[in-house]
Amino acid sequence: MTFKELNLIPSIIDALEDENYIEPTAIQAKAIPEVLKGHDVLASAQTGTGKTAAFAIPILQHLTETSHRNSKGKRKVTTLVVTPTRELAIQISDSFTTYGRYTNIKNTVIYGGVNQTPQKEALRRGVDVLVATPGRLLDLMGQGYISLNDIRYFVLDEADRMLDMGFIPDVKRIIAKLPQKRQSLFFSAT
């Protein structure tokens, strides 16, 4: 099987070819079609098997095909990816940038331990995809910089580590603010 056989749009296929990605990994071959169909997904695969691409690629395709911002309006966050560490958040954001390089989809990453100002500015300019660690996400939500009202895709990445690291209360607070109608994707290494 190749990525072309997954019925991906040309802009994403071109970005994948730039990265020399031809055949999806097992998790990608199983998850991408399910995400494209709009199903909720709970997936487990070992680290290094391409879980990020398994959710980023179909989300980018959905967002490209169904743009939900009007031409005059600011972009609204329609995708939220929550992950436990800043390193992973940066890596996921970089993946969205790489796979979406030929689309018009914008993403940003927010995490604690750094100055909030650049993150607030990126949010003010508007983004489609927000990758965040729980603490900074809740902090900026509390300050009124982030609304989850327009979320259509919610990804909890490294769900197992989130639980191990004591993020259950934060994740519950985040989920409580999400719209009932959304696609939920949980990815785990165990």
Side-chain angles (χ1 to χ4, degrees), residues 34-141:
E34 295 303 313
V35 178
L36 286 173
K37 290 176 193 168
H39 297 159
D40 289 346
V41 172
L42 175 58
S44 176
Q46 290 181 328
T47 301
T49 56
K51 289 188 294 291
T52 301
F55 62 79
I57 290 168
I59 287 172
L60 284 163
Q61 177 147 323
H62 277 300
L63 294 176
T64 301
E65 291 177 332
T66 59
S67 179
H68 284 278
R69 56 189 179 271
N70 69 40
S71 56
K72 298 177 201 152
K74 169 178 121 164
R75 294 171 189 267
K76 293 182 178 177
V77 178
T78 56
T79 301
L80 174 64
V81 181
V82 178
T83 192
T85 67
R86 89 171 68 176
E87 295 78 16
L88 195 52
I90 292 167
Q91 181 183 354
I92 292 167
S93 180
D94 289 347
S95 293
F96 270 96
T97 299
T98 298
Y99 308 140
R101 74 168 49 113
Y102 300 120
T103 70
N104 190 31
I105 306 304
K106 302 288 182 213
N107 76 81
T108 197
V109 59
I110 61 169
Y111 49 84
V114 296
N115 187 328
Q116 291 183 0
T117 304
Q119 296 174 1
K120 290 176 184 175
E121 287 302 316
L123 292 166
R124 235 184 251 121
R125 286 191 299 273
V127 297
D128 303 291
V129 177
L130 178 61
V131 182
T133 56
R136 180 58 57 98
L137 173 63
L138 289 166
D139 185 11
L140 291 177
M141 285 170 59

